[in-house]
Amino acid sequence: MAVIVHERTGTFHLTNDAVSYVFRVMENHQMEHLYYGAKIHDRESFDHLHEETMRSQMSISSPEPSLLSMQYTKQEMPVYGTGDYREPALVIRQENGSRISDFQYQGYRISNGKKSLLPLPATYTNEDSDAETLEVILYDALSETELILSYTIFAALPVITRHTEITQKGTQSVVLERVMSMSCEWNDAEFDLVTLDGGWARERYIHRRPLASGIQGVLGLNGTCSGAEHNPFLALMRPDATEQSGEVYGLNLIYSGNHLDQAEVSTFDMTRVMMGIHPQNFEWNLQTGESFISPEAVMVYSRAGLGEMSRTFHSLYQNHLVRGKYKNEVRPILLNNWEATYFDFNEEKLLNIAAKAKEAGVELFVLDDGWFGARNDDYRGLGDWYVNLQKLPSGISGLSKKIEDMGLKFGLWVELEMVNKDSDLYRSHPDWIIGTEGRFESHARHQHVLDYSKPEVVDYIYEMIAKVIRESSISYIKWDMNRYMTEPGNGEVMHRYMLGVYDLYQRLTSEFPDILFESCASGGARFDAGMLYFAPQAWTSDDTDANERRKIQYGTSLVYPVASMGSHVSAVPNHQLFRKTPIESRANIACFGTFGYELDLNLLSDAEIEAVKRQVQFMKKYRRLIQVEGKLYRLISPFPAVNRTNAESGNEMAWAVVSPDRKTALAAFYQRLNKVNASWLRLKLDGLNPDILYRITWNDAAGVEAGEETAVDMKSYEAYGDELMHAGIPIDRILLNRKGGDFASVLYEVEAVE
Ligand code: DGJ
């Protein structure tokens, strides 16, 4: 792995075993992008990859007889106003009102490893040899502004990360109006665009469509989180690329606020992709000596389809983004009381639920919303982070002690960025909410956003919640956030708000390093890499229906590791969809995640409790494979556009995790609706060793809902890896009938025969 610099030709080549990224200083002293893709040999000059020709109406930005036009030149950080009529990546307003800049090459620095971007989250190296960083220094003389383009190439992964740093070196004050974290260009547009989109309770559905002329992409504008509507992710896939093959470029922003994720196809069918903080309502004032650092963008290259892209993201995030005690550690099996009680609980009820959970083998009891202030519904109490002694007479300290005495760990829900107007906090600090004087204060879920752009607000909340944690035995915190921002005061507020959130996360995770944090935002509206830096897992969705979760977790897995997906078995009929699914299927989807329960186990039948006990044991046996060591192979997509099998579009779904030595795997097959007199279906595995003989084992018994005596009847057969991958496992339709028909599923344990 190396950053190669050819001084004579001004050429930079970032390369490792898999990838090459090449750019150079061009004749106008700006940075020209030349190539990004599969590894190519190094050359002192790649000048021949610069293409230019005389075109009508082109503006030339170098003295005659040059033909250098920004209109068709690929650039590393395109700016406004000198003949490039596409969208710029950087716009700086100067004192005279001009937005033109001309960033000229000054020099470069190379360092081993990579530096921290705190307070912004970013990927990191464990050893200096994990990555190399190149900083290219540019300067615009007229605005006296320095621009540093930072690139890190990882040694063992096809990953390049980028961010942008701007410093006012002179005496003027300038206003940053648009600062992208990265911009990259290709001189063709033969791509499909893939994005992860949705809304509350249907987060991160996969969409794939051909790139078209003009601008397309996604955004997040809600201020408080990356959003359920669009994830800060996009991928460019060659039209013939699939889950398993073909060229894919995946891009992800390590940020939890407003984002722009955009592709533009120009008049010459070139593609420009950029990613960064969305410029809507963004402005950043820079005075002498001040700097602005953009969030980091991650660029993943794959020559083996979406699957390989995802495994690269997973590996990067598990090893170079997630921090703390739970990095590469199995997650406790929890029971959360939200869907069991909502706000209607007292200590006795909670202890009763916890006792049954303990009996079933659960390890962590989580107390959700409603334990503090006057919080008996969602109209009041947010902001008053002290216990409601009427509900919980022994306080959180007493309750957590009682839970621990049962042999369980204790976890607590918080929503630290919000306030209800009916709260002591709002009554004493009405000026602490985000708003604009004279404007109506929009509300959502009866709550308002605390102004975390003010350090005194962050300090106050930190002290209040740290006191609760210090006085109790807390092993886990669910950090919720349930509304979007409105009436933001000025162009700096939204980004400063996010920096305040990150600051609070950093302070709490530093003071309480043993606590497992799970982020949450009305379900999965904050499922982003920014959050993963502080909280290694995130509540994937408020939709806990097993059938819906197939899609949500499958889509989420495009970028984020299995271990990051908060996933629980909940009651039937499901509270969001009123649907009944077999308890076996609910567990079979939840086990591809952090795994837990979100119901009162006291209300289950004896047979169901026996099933729960088996599920917990199963998860304890397999969680290291699922959450820490295994690689994820998606086998059948619930999204028709990315299917590759003869499964009827969207009705079936399957995936598997495979151990690094390829001796153990766990595959799951799920169906939506049952079929009568159906065609044959084989489940073709992936990632196995073709030459190893495996034993495939599954539970052939009917689901407990069928009321049979035994719900365990393990069956198995042996087959080589090549057979399992190419001939596949025949799916037994009759077994699916016995397991409940609609929404039935089967887990296959795959173990190498000694
Ligand atoms: C929204 C979360 O997504 C739910 O899991 C739950 O914690 C509620 N908030 C509590 O108000």
Side-chain angles (χ1 to χ4, degrees):
M1 170 257 324
V3 174
I4 304 167
V5 182
H6 298 289
E7 304 259 2
R8 195 182 65 80
T9 55
T11 304
F12 297 87
H13 185 179
L14 289 83
T15 188
N16 60 22
D17 288 343
V19 72
S20 277
Y21 188 106
V22 184
F23 57 98
R24 66 163 191 165
V25 183
M26 56 182 153
E27 66 179 82
N28 68 357
H29 308 289
Q30 296 177 8
M31 303 311 294
E32 176 179 21
H33 178 76
L34 290 175
Y35 172 77
Y36 174 36
K39 177 194 171 70
I40 54 177
H41 282 99
D42 186 49
R43 305 286 305 279
E44 191 185 17
S45 165
F46 288 94
D47 289 354
H48 47 280
L49 291 181
H50 168 84
E51 288 150 298
E52 64 179 31
T53 188
M54 187 65 203
R55 295 178 185 270
S56 80
Q57 286 186 321
M58 91 182 182
S59 315
I60 296 172
S61 54
S62 226
E64 307 264 15
S66 170
L67 288 182
L68 183 66
S69 172
M70 295 302 106
Q71 194 178 1
Y72 56 60
T73 300
K74 300 189 293 295
Q75 296 155 67
E76 286 300 303
M77 186 59 46
V79 292
Y80 172 77
T82 57
D84 183 345
Y85 302 104
R86 297 166 288 175
E87 285 242 307
L90 183 64
V91 178
I92 301 177
R93 195 175 76 234
Q94 293 135 57
E95 280 174 351
N96 64 0
S98 164
R99 291 180 172 84
I100 299 163
S101 12
D102 174 11
F103 281 100
Q104 304 249 323
Y105 176 71
Q106 301 287 300
Y108 69 91
R109 286 190 289 264
I110 294 178
S111 50
N112 293 326
K114 82 194 282 282
K115 66 178 182 191
S116 159
L117 297 188
L118 278 171
L120 282 167
T123 56
Y124 59 85
T125 50
N126 300 300
E127 313 283 336
D128 269 359
S129 56
D130 288 349
E132 213 169 3
T133 297
L134 165 71
E135 291 176 296
V136 176
I137 302 146
L138 305 155
Y139 189 67
D140 177 47
L142 220 56
S143 66
E144 302 171 294
T145 314
E146 181 188 77
L147 169 66
I148 297 180
L149 303 180
S150 177
Y151 305 79
T152 296
I153 179 159
F154 280 79
L157 291 167
V159 173
I160 292 170
T161 66
R162 286 188 59 178
H163 74 269
T164 310
E165 222 170 300
I166 301 173
T167 304
Q168 175 46 258
K169 292 279 189 187
T171 52
Q172 319 180 25
S173 72
V174 294
V175 179
L176 312 182
E177 293 190 333
R178 182 183 184 104
V179 184
M180 290 296 113
S181 300
M182 59 74 60
S183 177
C184 188
E185 305 191 32
W186 291 258
N187 51 355
D188 72 309
E190 287 294 304
F191 288 114
D192 288 347
L193 175 68
V194 179
T195 54
L196 295 173
D197 321 284
W200 176 78
R202 51 181 174 79
E203 297 90 345
R204 289 171 296 287
Y205 283 12
I206 303 174
H207 292 111
R208 175 178 183 175
R209 65 274 196 190
L211 266 194
S213 198
I215 288 178
Q216 53 243 275
V218 294
L219 50 73
L221 282 180
N222 68 56
T224 52
C225 56
S226 45
E229 293 75 17
H230 305 288
N231 201 256
F233 161 81
L234 66 79
L236 294 184
M237 279 178 91
R238 293 295 176 188
D240 61 355
T242 67
E243 174 69 22
Q244 287 184 312
S245 66
E247 204 172 32
V248 181
Y249 298 85
L251 295 138
N252 191 213
L253 192 67
I254 306 187
Y255 191 56
S256 314
N258 291 353
H259 53 95
L260 175 71
D261 324 278
Q262 175 175 295
E264 178 174 3
V265 176
S266 74
T267 183
F268 306 118
D269 287 331
M270 296 166 71
T271 305
R272 171 179 288 174
V273 165
M274 59 181 67
M275 202 171 238
I277 295 178
H278 199 290
Q280 178 63 45
N281 203 55
F282 171 83
E283 288 203 322
W284 203 268
N285 289 276
L286 277 192
Q287 313 287 348
T288 305
E290 288 178 346
S291 295
F292 177 84
I293 299 182
S294 80
E296 183 173 44
V298 176
M299 308 170 71
V300 168
Y301 176 71
S302 163
R303 291 181 78 187
L306 281 175
E308 194 58 32
M309 175 201 77
S310 300
R311 288 185 287 279
T312 300
F313 273 119
H314 298 173
S315 172
L316 179 76
Y317 289 169
Q318 279 184 299
N319 297 304
H320 301 282
L321 183 72
V322 167
R323 302 176 302 163
K325 184 176 165 187
Y326 286 91
K327 173 178 174 173
N328 292 323
E329 198 37 78
V330 297
R331 308 300 160 81
I333 296 171
L334 64 78
L335 184 136
N336 176 302
N337 77 310
W338 179 241
E339 286 195 14
T341 66
Y342 296 102
F343 291 110
D344 182 19
F345 61 81
N346 56 31
E347 189 178 279
E348 191 190 343
K349 201 168 176 179
L350 296 178
L351 291 174
N352 200 22
I353 294 172
K356 193 70 181 176
K358 171 66 189 164
E359 186 193 316
V362 165
E363 298 160 316
L364 166 71
F365 175 79
V366 178
L367 174 54
D368 209 279
D369 195 356
W371 58 268
F372 49 91
R375 185 80 169 169
N376 290 318
D377 50 44
D378 56 14
Y379 285 84
R380 66 208 90 242
L382 276 181
D384 298 340
W385 300 109
Y386 31 81
V387 72
N388 179 341
L389 286 170
Q390 270 168 354
K391 261 187 178 173
L392 303 173
S394 50
I396 291 298
S397 55
L399 177 63
S400 59
K401 172 98 181 42
K402 287 178 191 176
I403 296 283
E404 289 214 326
D405 287 347
M406 282 181 180
L408 288 163
K409 297 286 184 197
F410 180 76
L412 195 63
W413 177 98
V414 293
E415 188 175 357
L416 301 174
E417 299 151 65
M418 297 290 151
V419 65
N420 289 119
K421 285 199 169 174
D422 186 355
S423 67
D424 294 341
L425 180 69
Y426 180 78
R427 282 182 282 273
S428 51
H429 295 286
D431 54 328
W432 276 9
I433 64 174
I434 286 188
T436 299
E437 208 170 343
R439 298 287 173 200
F440 177 70
E441 285 162 355
S442 302
H443 45 94
R445 208 192 183 198
H446 327 291
Q447 64 196 53
H448 294 266
V449 184
L450 284 171
D451 191 350
Y452 269 40
S453 72
K454 295 184 171 132
E456 65 272 24
V457 177
V458 178
D459 290 346
Y460 187 92
I461 299 292
Y462 170 69
E463 285 309 332
M464 198 163 24
I465 196 62
K467 182 169 184 299
V468 177
I469 304 173
R470 285 177 203 133
E471 289 170 355
S472 314
S473 296
I474 294 177
S475 304
Y476 161 106
I477 283 186
K478 177 178 173 185
W479 181 322
D480 204 350
M481 194 293 299
N482 286 300
R483 72 154 284 187
Y484 293 170
M485 198 184 287
T486 51
E487 296 85 36
N490 61 46
E492 294 195 0
V493 162
M494 286 170 145
H495 182 56
R496 287 197 188 280
Y497 172 87
M498 201 43 67
L499 294 178
V501 172
Y502 289 149
D503 179 38
L504 186 58
Y505 254 115
Q506 179 64 14
R507 286 155 77 170
L508 288 173
T509 51
S510 302
E511 181 174 345
F512 306 106
D514 289 340
I515 291 181
L516 171 61
F517 281 79
E518 177 160 337
S519 70
C520 173
S522 303
R526 240 184 201 174
F527 216 117
D528 55 67
M531 279 294 130
L532 281 186
Y533 181 76
F534 302 101
Q537 57 192 57
W539 184 225
T540 316
S541 178
D542 273 348
D543 191 340
T544 58
D545 173 74
N547 179 55
E548 296 299 300
R549 276 297 186 117
R550 296 179 327 148
K551 286 191 280 185
I552 296 167
Q553 291 176 213
Y554 188 101
T556 304
S557 80
L558 227 54
V559 185
Y560 307 102
V562 176
S564 65
M565 290 194 258
S567 48
H568 302 165
V569 174
S570 62
V572 289
N574 174 266
H575 293 193
Q576 293 78 40
L577 286 140
F578 311 102
R579 178 181 287 145
K580 285 189 177 174
T581 51
I583 195 163
E584 190 177 358
S585 288
R586 280 175 271 157
N588 287 352
I589 189 72
C591 74
F592 278 74
T594 60
F595 198 73
Y597 292 84
E598 190 157 335
L599 74 172
D600 184 350
L601 295 176
N602 290 297
L603 304 178
L604 299 189
S605 68
D606 290 348
E608 286 171 322
I609 281 294
E610 288 312 308
V612 167
K613 287 181 180 167
R614 285 194 301 274
Q615 292 163 3
V616 169
Q617 286 318 311
F618 179 86
M619 195 58 194
K620 287 178 180 169
K621 177 178 173 194
Y622 277 105
R623 63 182 158 181
R624 184 156 290 280
L625 172 72
I626 296 171
Q627 299 170 347
V628 183
E629 291 167 356
K631 285 180 186 298
L632 182 72
Y633 289 84
R634 288 181 299 258
L635 306 171
I636 305 175
S637 168
F639 299 100
V642 281
N643 253 343
R644 66 169 188 93
T645 73
N646 65 345
E648 184 193 295
S649 281
N651 199 58
E652 284 82 19
M653 180 205 146
W655 55 9
V657 284
V658 180
S659 65
D661 64 5
R662 300 193 288 169
K663 287 189 170 166
T664 309
L666 181 70
F669 171 87
Y670 317 84
Q671 73 170 359
R672 186 161 48 109
L673 298 183
N674 205 17
K675 290 175 180 167
V676 67
N677 194 22
S679 45
W680 308 112
L681 180 63
R682 295 273 179 88
L683 175 60
K684 293 178 182 170
L685 302 188
D686 197 1
L688 300 180
N689 183 331
D691 302 322
I692 287 186
L693 184 66
Y694 295 93
R695 174 169 290 111
I696 302 93
T697 309
W698 71 95
N699 183 1
D700 206 53
V704 291
E705 288 83 359
E708 288 186 8
E709 279 293 286
T710 170
V712 183
D713 178 14
M714 302 311 286
K715 289 258 166 64
S716 66
Y717 70 95
E718 290 179 4
Y720 279 97
D722 50 8
E723 178 191 323
L724 293 170
M725 293 192 288
H726 305 308
I729 301 173
I731 297 289
D732 179 353
R733 298 279 189 184
I734 305 301
L735 175 60
L736 294 176
N737 289 346
R738 294 210 307 279
K739 287 194 179 291
D742 291 351
F743 316 116
S745 64
V746 189
L747 282 188
Y748 298 93
E749 299 168 59
V750 182
E751 197 67 52
V753 178
E754 290 306 320

